[in-house]
Amino acid sequence: MPGRVLARLTGASESAGQRSTALNWAMHFGQDIALGVLRSVMAEVGLRGPLASSKFTVVRLTNDQILENATGVGAPPQTWPRSELAIDVLHKSVYGFVTGAVADAAVTVSV
């Protein structure tokens, strides 16, 4: 799905195969890098720790949903099979908390 979102955003072909895999990875890494900057800013201004990482995880989940639904690729989460929803929330939570730990540590070291 992320590859289809990126294809729609850029006007690229939504074809399957290796190109689709490359688009998926590009969208995942692109979003993670862009939003990671936000988490760094949060840490820099004093929003640190598990609560800040929880809030950041919500931002990451919301970002996906906005892009998927705005491009017409996705469906609202309440319509997803519960197992897919659980996996998505788990993956985004791991990303959110690991990114938070790294951002918090980086700010602590530089202070």
Side-chain angles (χ1 to χ4, degrees), residues 26-111:
M27 187 65 171
H28 272 299
F29 285 123
Q31 284 181 289
D32 291 345
I33 291 167
L35 292 173
V37 171
L38 171 63
R39 184 59 180 88
S40 295
V41 171
M42 290 171 67
E44 183 66 34
V45 298
L47 297 170
R48 299 183 190 123
L51 182 58
S53 292
S54 296
K55 292 176 181 181
F56 177 67
T57 299
V58 171
V59 170
R60 180 63 179 93
L61 286 160
T62 303
N63 178 69
D64 263 5
Q65 285 306 302
I66 289 170
L67 290 173
E68 289 172 8
N69 291 305
T71 58
V73 172
Q78 63 268 23
T79 65
W80 296 10
R82 292 293 169 238
S83 60
E84 287 184 29
L85 185 59
I87 289 168
D88 192 52
V89 170
L90 174 66
H91 288 172
K92 302 290 188 318
S93 296
V94 168
Y95 164 76
F97 281 85
V98 169
T99 302
V102 170
D104 292 349
V107 168
T108 304
V109 168
S110 69
V111 171

